[in-house]
Amino acid sequence: MHVVALVTQKGGSGKSTLAVGLAVAAMARGERVALVEADAQGTISKWRERRENLHPRVERVDEPAEIEQILSRLEAEGVWLAIIDTAATDNALAARAIASADLCLIPARPSPADIEAAIPTLIAIRRLDRRFGFILNQTPTRGCRLSEAATSLNSLGLLALPFIGQRNDHQDALGAGLGVTEFAPEGKASEEIVALWGWISERLIMESNDHGQAALKTAC
Ligand SMILES: Nc1ncnc2c1ncn2[C@@H]1O[C@H](COP(=O)(O)OP(=O)(O)OP(=O)(O)O)[C@@H](O)[C@H]1O
Ligand SMILES: [Mg+2]
């Protein structure tokens, strides 16, 4: 099972919106997906209450130790992808989510201040030696020029692609209990989320191949 965590201490950067959008996009590709909500704010649970489809399943965790228990259970039940949504605080739950993740995704608005606000999260990720990528979210839909901070991230290969534009479909989908790919399948927001899921899944598969080869070398 692959584990992805949406993390950053910066509030309102799009963690929950992207977690939901990506989970539904992955599910549409035939993957068995679960959302793990590690945020007492409950954005995902509230979205789930508005949703008619029982999938993706949503598991709520309140204590750090519960994360590993839930992930083990999901894996045993054949879930292929778990996406963890975390709170905008540097709490033990977020730290455990980072430690459990194969890939940490850090959403940030494209401004330097927003990118800089993610630095404490980045330090935690580096300390735990996790893979990560920034997602530029809520970018202007026209003429998005990259700030110096975003350009540096891009040149270091640390930016997930594509950028996710500021589009009402994301907010409306969340309100309707849908993923954006269900809400407006032909829309630009949907197209971007599908492409972003493609970028993420490539990294997850690459990483599991690396692990497989490392295990093979150890066995030899
Ligand atoms: N790409 C986008 N386009 C338009 N609106 C967006 C986009 N991404 C997020 N939003 C909106 O921005 C607001 C904050 O998003 P969201 O709740 O996902 O952030 P968050 O990081 O989970 O916040 P918190 O830190 O409070 O948990 C929500 O109203 C959401 O619908
Ligand atoms: Mg949230």
Side-chain angles (χ1 to χ4, degrees):
M1 184 177 76
H2 301 286
V3 180
V4 171
L6 274 295
V7 282
T8 173
Q9 287 176 44
K10 178 78 180 160
S13 53
K15 297 178 288 294
S16 307
T17 305
L18 292 169
V20 159
L22 289 168
V24 171
M27 201 177 73
R29 299 296 297 263
E31 311 301 1
R32 288 191 71 184
V33 183
L35 279 162
V36 178
E37 181 170 64
D39 181 1
Q41 192 173 214
T43 307
I44 305 251
S45 301
K46 288 176 198 145
W47 170 80
R48 176 71 190 78
E49 281 164 22
R50 294 189 286 273
R51 185 168 173 79
E52 283 172 17
N53 190 336
L54 294 177
H55 301 283
R57 62 196 273 188
V58 174
E59 299 284 347
R60 188 153 179 174
V61 291
D62 297 307
E63 299 294 332
E66 285 177 322
I67 292 195
E68 275 123 54
Q69 290 163 8
I70 296 259
L71 292 177
S72 302
R73 180 151 55 78
L74 292 173
E75 183 161 31
E77 290 174 17
V79 169
W80 185 81
L81 172 71
I83 299 183
I84 311 178
D85 181 34
T86 62
T89 44
D90 179 18
N91 61 14
L93 213 46
R96 201 65 77 95
I98 292 172
S100 311
D102 301 307
L103 181 65
C104 295
L105 296 172
I106 309 169
R109 291 203 189 92
S111 79
D114 283 66
I115 294 172
E116 281 160 14
I119 288 174
T121 307
L122 188 54
I123 291 170
I125 291 171
R126 296 300 286 264
R127 200 173 43 232
L128 291 162
D129 198 20
R130 299 287 91 194
R131 295 194 183 198
F132 66 93
F134 278 79
I135 299 175
L136 284 195
N137 186 34
Q138 304 185 58
T139 59
T141 49
R142 271 184 219 157
C144 175
R145 64 192 165 76
L146 287 187
S147 64
E148 207 178 308
T151 307
S152 315
L153 290 176
N154 200 19
S155 60
L156 292 169
L158 299 177
L159 270 191
L161 293 171
F163 309 150
I164 303 298
Q166 163 83 37
R167 299 180 198 279
N168 291 341
D169 283 352
H170 289 285
Q171 298 174 13
D172 295 343
L174 209 65
L178 298 170
V180 76
T181 49
E182 297 168 323
F183 180 78
E186 306 301 326
K188 193 76 187 145
S190 172
E191 190 185 303
E192 288 171 353
I193 288 291
V194 168
L196 179 62
W197 168 242
W199 187 95
I200 294 165
S201 60
E202 266 176 32
R203 257 114 209 116
L204 292 174
I205 288 163
M206 249 193 293
E207 199 224 16
S208 52
N209 287 347
D210 288 354
H211 275 167
Q213 286 185 2
L216 208 61
K217 274 190 199 144
T218 313
C220 295

